[in-house]
Amino acid sequence: MIPMETFPHDQKEEQQPAGSPPQGEPVFLQVGKLRRTHGVKGDLLMDPTTDFPERIRPHKILYIGQMHEPLRVRSVRKAHTQIIIGFEGFFNCEEAGRLRNQPVFVKASELPKLPEGEYYHHQLIGLQVISEDGLILGILAEILETGANEVYVVRREDQQDLLLPAIEGVILDILPEQGMMRVRPPEWE
């Protein structure tokens, strides 16, 4: 499985082939969404959208909202499928209320390195998808998580999207540094 840190969010529209911005530009990845306040001490409920919610710890800087306001985590604890999170400087419901319904981001540069052959979703979105014989099929536009395996949605010009199961034998090479992915589309009968 490819670890997920969702929704690349660049400050500029300009993109390189692999979906990453030009060198030096900050990139933020959404890891959750703040919901309502919880209790009277300025905590909020957060819906995590990351496969690694355990990386959200006290003293970590998270970036809140579309303006990426940096806030230091004061406290964090698990609550079923959500997280109860508090930020330094927010000690009551009124103060924390202004953060309600805001997306939560981390800097992509702070993500841990993955083992060789594994990639974050944002590293794959935007790759050019070519067949094993060199035919350009389209651009990887979306990754669907189905439970059994992921499915890559390839946008094609003037054609329906191509859906590729992310399995051995279909995905031959992933080369983000070259901005491409080599595939062998299945032949459906």
Side-chain angles (χ1 to χ4, degrees), residues 18-171:
S20 298
Q23 286 290 342
E25 290 288 328
V27 174
F28 296 90
L29 300 171
Q30 187 173 344
V31 295
K33 184 165 185 177
L34 296 174
R35 295 299 179 186
R36 62 177 175 79
T37 57
H38 179 83
V40 295
K41 296 182 182 177
D43 293 339
L44 294 123
L45 285 173
M46 181 178 119
D47 292 330
T49 57
T50 174
D51 287 341
F52 307 106
E54 67 276 3
R55 291 185 189 155
I56 299 170
R57 295 181 222 147
H59 309 293
K60 180 167 182 59
I61 301 290
L62 297 177
Y63 300 86
I64 311 303
Q66 297 305 318
M67 299 304 294
H68 305 111
E69 178 183 356
L71 295 178
R72 185 176 304 277
V73 175
R74 172 178 39 84
S75 64
V76 63
R77 63 189 188 275
K78 193 164 172 52
H80 305 288
T81 60
Q82 294 180 310
I83 293 173
I84 299 172
I85 191 166
F87 295 99
E88 290 182 7
F90 294 84
F91 298 104
N92 62 51
C93 292
E94 292 76 34
E95 292 170 346
R98 80 169 180 84
L99 302 176
R100 194 173 321 162
N101 296 320
Q102 295 294 314
V104 178
F105 299 95
V106 296
K107 284 187 177 178
S109 60
E110 296 173 357
L111 295 176
K113 290 257 187 231
L114 293 175
E116 190 171 327
E118 288 189 32
Y119 303 93
Y120 290 107
H121 286 183
H122 74 276
Q123 293 174 305
L124 301 178
I125 302 293
L127 290 180
Q128 185 174 55
V129 180
I130 62 170
S131 69
E132 62 186 326
D133 17 343
L135 178 67
I136 298 173
L137 301 175
I139 301 294
L140 180 58
E142 188 177 352
I143 300 173
L144 306 175
E145 296 195 38
T146 64
N149 56 266
E150 293 175 336
V151 175
Y152 295 160
V153 179
V154 179
R155 288 272 138 75
R156 302 186 295 176
E157 234 177 87
D158 301 325
Q159 294 181 50
Q160 259 189 318
D161 290 347
L162 175 64
L163 302 178
L164 296 173
I167 58 174
E168 193 175 320
V170 174
I171 308 304

